[in-house]
């Protein structure tokens, strides 16, 4: 009889579902789970905070299309990871969170770190369950992985009680489900496609909006063909940047406000009408604008604004359908229209303003000047991780992306503190794939503070991440050294210092004296 512990069973079940990466912080009762995962070939990255570990695991899901695991201890460890789970669910990124919990025979007794974990995680995930027995572990793992990537991707939670980790079971009594197949690819209905093409051909001021969903579905080749065949202007959302290069002649990102306001037909390619796109409401959009929406989630269609044509399906597959129709019709939007002239004029005007700001020689530098110099040094194929309020917003316009899935930022949930975790995930992948690409993490000083100790994680695993902290002395902005000194003389800083203020001119690089080139 060959016996397996619960930890070994869980590790083998994850490996059978092609899970390759695990991020986490170990402790009672899940130390053995991490060791068993390494034993079957899963790469384990030990982090400094469960929230950052979950950010890293979810970024793997976005970048690869297959979930990684975030492994956490019971109670507080799981609670720390909830922020990462919520962020993954809002971003529609697959991730599996596995949490240890108190022994089953101690439930309701006030056990060590006892917490209703399965129930709590239901608010933050697509699926949350505890296997009722050891033999059920592989089935629950398969369902969690499958649920995380099918339909709209998201977070899933598996709870492992402490008494199950080292309990043993005969391998012959366990059924290991085969690896779940890739998500089925769905196509839009012919009726809705016909309606969409008719509306598009009648448009006077059409616009494509390329969302994060298009990047996730790996639709870059199809969207490139659509944009160039149709001659339509396009606008990327923050993490839709790079699906088509930011320097593509059809890109009108520099005229974003005008494009949104004046467009009469908007094609949403994996983009949602949420706060990032102002819900599709006036005054940001025309009250008469028509939306053609491509989305994998039926519930998203006509959300906030009634969709004129609802193309339910995989973005990559549906765009291929549109391309096929437009190619057979030999239709394209004329390049000499007033709409194109209007957009190009605004792009040029805004580019001149940005350039003038970037060339200002002031002390301290403004954002545009800083990003101007950073941009000149960035390799075109690097991965850019960006967070912070002004740092992220202005950096989005100044730091260009030329390839898909090379930008990671605060995302739909507007989460601060994601940068180091995202950077670790990207660097782990780039190293495993031997790409030689650099990961550059551009952080606001406040955002860096959330997860700054993950710099130690980067050094421990010798991950080639470059961190640039844009120091403006506070949340949004702070005060200078002279003003700070004057305030200190006035009394108790808790009643004097503005709530958004951080220590002026903090030397973040000196907080890590062990961080040297040799470490990396």
């Amino acid at each position: 009889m060959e016996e397996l512990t619960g930890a070994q069973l869980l590790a083998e079940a994850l490996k059978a579902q092609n899970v390759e990466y695990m991020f986490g912080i170990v402790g009672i009762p899940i130390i053995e789970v991490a060791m068993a995962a390494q034993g079957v070939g899963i790469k384990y990255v030990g982090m400094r905070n469960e929230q950052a570990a979950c950010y890293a695991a979810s970024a793997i899901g976005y970048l690869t299309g297959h979930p990684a695991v975030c492994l956490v201890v019971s109670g507080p460890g799981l609670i720390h990871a909830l922020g990462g789970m919520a962020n993954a669910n809002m971003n529609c990124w697959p991730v599996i969170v596995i949490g240890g919990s108190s022994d089953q025979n101690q439930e309701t007794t006030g056990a060590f770190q006892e917490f209703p974990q399965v129930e709590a995680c239901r608010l933050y995930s697509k699926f949350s369950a505890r296997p009722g027995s050891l033999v059920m572990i592989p089935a629950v793992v398969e369902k969690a992985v499958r649920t995380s990537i099918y339909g709209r991707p998201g977070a899933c939670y598996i709870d492992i009680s402490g008494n199950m980790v080292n309990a043993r079971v005969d391998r012959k009594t366990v059924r290991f489900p085969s690896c779940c197949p890739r998500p089925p690819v769905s196509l839009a209905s012919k009726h809705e496609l016909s309606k969409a093409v008719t509306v598009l051909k009648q448009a006077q001021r059409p616009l494509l909006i390329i969302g994060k969903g298009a990047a996730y579905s790996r639709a870059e080749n199809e969207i490139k063909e659509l944009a160039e065949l149709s001659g339509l202007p396009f606008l990327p959302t923050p993490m839709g940047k790079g699906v088509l290069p930011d320097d593509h002649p059809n890109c009108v990102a520099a005229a974003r406000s005008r494009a949104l306001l004046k467009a009469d037909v908007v094609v949403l390619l994996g983009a949602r009408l949420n706060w990032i796109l102002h819900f599709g409401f006036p005054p940001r959009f025309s009250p008469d604008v028509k939306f053609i929406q491509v989305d994998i989630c039926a519930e998203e269609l006509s959300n906030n604004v009634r969709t004129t044509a609802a193309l339910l399906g995989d973005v990559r597959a549906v765009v291929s359908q549109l391309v096929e129709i437009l190619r057979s019709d030999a239709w394209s939007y004329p390049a000499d229209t007033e709409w194109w002239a209007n957009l190009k004029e605004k792009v040029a005007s805004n580019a001149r303003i940005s350039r003038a700001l970037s060339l200002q020689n002031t002390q301290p530098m403004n954002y545009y000047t800083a990003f101007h110099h950073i941009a000149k040094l960035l390799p075109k194929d690097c991965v850019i991780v960006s967070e912070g309020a002004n740092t992220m917003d202005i950096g989005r316009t100044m730091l260009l992306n030329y390839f898909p899935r090379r930008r990671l930022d605060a995302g739909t949930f507007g989460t601060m503190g994601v940068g180091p975790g995202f950077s670790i995930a990207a660097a782990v992948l780039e190293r495993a794939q031997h790409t030689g690409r650099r990961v550059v993490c551009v952080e606001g000083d406040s955002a860096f503070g959330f997860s700054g100790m993950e710099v130690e994680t980067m050094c421990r695993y010798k991950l080639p991440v470059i961190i640039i902290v844009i120091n403006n002395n506070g949340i949004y902005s702070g005060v200078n050294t002279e003003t700070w000194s004057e305030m200190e003389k006035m009394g108790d800083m808790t009643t004097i210092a503005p709530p958004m203020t951080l220590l002026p001119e903090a030397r973040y690089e000196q907080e890590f004296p062990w961080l040297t080139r040799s470490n990396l």
Side-chain angles (χ1 to χ4, degrees):
M1 181 177 69
E2 181 187 358
E3 288 189 326
L4 295 173
T5 66
Q8 291 170 328
L9 191 56
L10 179 57
E12 288 194 17
L14 291 168
K15 189 65 176 178
Q17 299 304 318
N18 288 336
V19 171
E20 296 186 46
Y21 298 95
M22 179 180 285
F23 301 81
I25 299 177
V26 297
I28 297 172
I30 48 82
I31 297 173
E32 293 86 354
V33 174
M35 296 172 65
Q38 289 179 313
V40 298
I42 295 174
K43 298 178 177 68
Y44 176 81
V45 178
M47 305 284 285
R48 299 302 298 262
N49 183 279
E50 291 89 355
Q51 196 172 72
C54 201
Y55 294 148
S58 65
I60 292 284
Y62 170 66
L63 294 169
T64 68
H66 201 72
V69 167
C70 174
L71 181 67
V72 299
V73 299
S74 52
L78 184 276
I79 292 170
H80 291 166
L82 292 179
M85 290 179 67
N87 187 67
N89 236 27
M90 294 297 290
N91 270 340
C92 307
W93 291 358
V95 67
I96 308 296
V97 176
I98 297 177
S101 61
S102 50
D103 292 0
Q104 289 169 303
N105 63 356
Q106 296 177 351
E107 287 186 5
T108 75
T109 66
F112 176 66
Q113 296 185 337
E114 184 179 356
F115 186 73
Q117 298 179 184
V118 174
E119 294 81 0
C121 288
R122 288 193 177 118
L123 288 173
Y124 305 91
S125 63
K126 296 179 66 180
F127 172 77
S128 179
R130 172 191 286 180
S133 64
L134 290 178
V135 297
M136 283 299 296
I137 287 176
V140 171
V141 168
E142 188 276 340
K143 184 168 185 178
V145 171
R146 175 164 41 87
T147 303
S148 76
I149 59 176
Y150 275 40
R152 172 180 280 177
C156 292
Y157 176 68
I158 301 173
D159 193 82
I160 300 294
S161 58
N163 59 289
M164 296 179 73
V165 172
N166 290 310
R168 294 179 176 273
V169 64
D170 182 357
R171 179 188 288 275
K172 292 181 180 178
T173 66
V174 181
R175 182 182 70 87
F176 282 88
S178 59
C179 184
C180 67
R182 296 296 303 164
V185 175
S186 53
L187 299 172
S189 74
K190 292 183 179 179
H191 172 72
E192 292 297 316
L193 282 166
S194 177
K195 188 191 303 184
V197 171
T198 298
V199 171
L200 192 57
K201 289 180 178 179
Q202 294 172 350
Q204 299 297 309
R205 298 177 302 281
L207 178 68
L208 299 177
I209 296 183
I210 302 172
K212 179 169 69 252
Y216 181 83
S217 71
R218 285 158 169 71
E220 51 267 18
N221 293 333
E222 291 74 14
I223 292 177
K224 181 176 187 292
E225 188 172 3
L226 173 64
E228 295 178 355
L229 178 68
S230 66
L232 295 173
F234 73 84
L235 176 71
T237 63
M239 271 191 280
K241 282 166 58 69
V243 171
L244 295 185
D246 283 342
D247 61 355
H248 191 285
N250 290 30
C251 181
V252 294
R256 183 181 190 274
S257 296
R258 180 171 296 183
L260 296 180
L261 176 61
K262 299 296 184 180
D264 63 351
V265 172
V266 174
V267 183
L268 297 169
L269 301 176
R272 292 174 279 178
L273 290 177
N274 53 23
W275 67 274
I276 292 176
L277 288 176
H278 315 287
F279 315 103
F281 294 163
R284 294 288 189 157
F285 285 83
S286 164
D288 301 318
V289 64
K290 296 178 180 178
F291 288 101
I292 298 169
Q293 192 169 5
V294 182
D295 204 285
I296 200 169
C297 178
E299 290 81 1
E300 192 61 44
L301 300 171
S302 292
N303 192 32
N304 291 327
V305 178
R306 177 70 178 267
T307 299
T308 302
L311 305 182
L312 176 63
D314 175 78
V315 175
R316 183 178 180 182
V318 173
V319 172
S320 292
Q321 289 179 286
L322 288 171
V323 166
E324 185 177 349
I325 295 172
L326 294 178
R327 190 189 297 119
S328 64
D329 291 349
W331 177 85
S332 65
Y333 182 71
D336 58 353
T337 61
E338 183 180 351
W339 176 231
W340 256 123
N342 194 309
L343 290 174
K344 289 179 179 179
E345 182 275 327
K346 189 61 176 176
V347 166
S349 172
N350 285 346
R352 287 192 296 270
I353 294 172
S354 294
R355 180 162 180 78
L357 288 169
S358 69
L359 295 179
Q360 287 183 359
N361 186 20
T362 59
Q363 291 293 328
M365 289 187 291
N366 66 45
Y367 285 100
Y368 290 88
T369 303
F371 287 129
H372 170 72
H373 291 289
I374 293 170
K376 291 198 298 184
L377 299 173
L378 291 182
K380 290 187 70 170
D381 65 345
C382 71
V383 178
I384 299 174
V385 181
S386 180
E387 64 169 332
N390 298 324
T391 298
M392 183 177 65
D393 291 342
I394 299 174
R396 184 186 305 137
T397 67
M398 297 292 292
L399 304 179
L400 302 186
N401 291 91
Y402 304 93
F403 299 95
R405 297 169 297 280
R406 303 286 172 80
R407 178 183 169 84
L408 298 164
D409 67 20
T412 306
F413 213 27
T415 308
M416 293 295 109
V418 296
F422 285 178
S423 299
I424 288 168
V428 165
L429 278 180
E430 298 300 338
R431 187 170 66 183
Q433 296 167 2
H434 305 289
T435 65
R437 285 192 288 261
R438 298 308 300 264
V439 177
V440 181
C441 183
V442 185
E443 298 269 297
D445 51 351
S446 172
F448 179 69
F450 283 89
S451 304
M453 273 307 298
E454 297 301 340
V455 170
E456 188 275 333
T457 307
M458 299 172 191
C459 291
R460 189 171 3 118
Y461 292 100
K462 292 182 168 56
L463 298 174
V465 177
I466 296 173
I467 299 176
I468 301 171
V469 179
I470 304 294
N471 190 355
N472 65 355
N473 303 339
I475 301 171
Y476 303 109
S477 63
V479 300
N480 59 31
T481 303
E482 292 73 21
T483 302
W484 182 268
S485 298
E486 291 300 318
M487 290 193 303
E488 285 184 314
K489 298 174 184 177
M490 296 169 62
D492 185 355
M493 292 292 279
T494 62
T495 61
I496 297 171
M500 295 185 294
T501 302
L502 300 176
L503 185 67
E505 299 180 18
R507 297 299 300 270
Y508 294 100
E509 82 283 4
Q510 294 182 4
E511 294 183 23
F512 303 98
W514 35 263
L515 175 58
T516 65
R517 179 176 293 274
S518 62
N519 289 124
L520 300 181

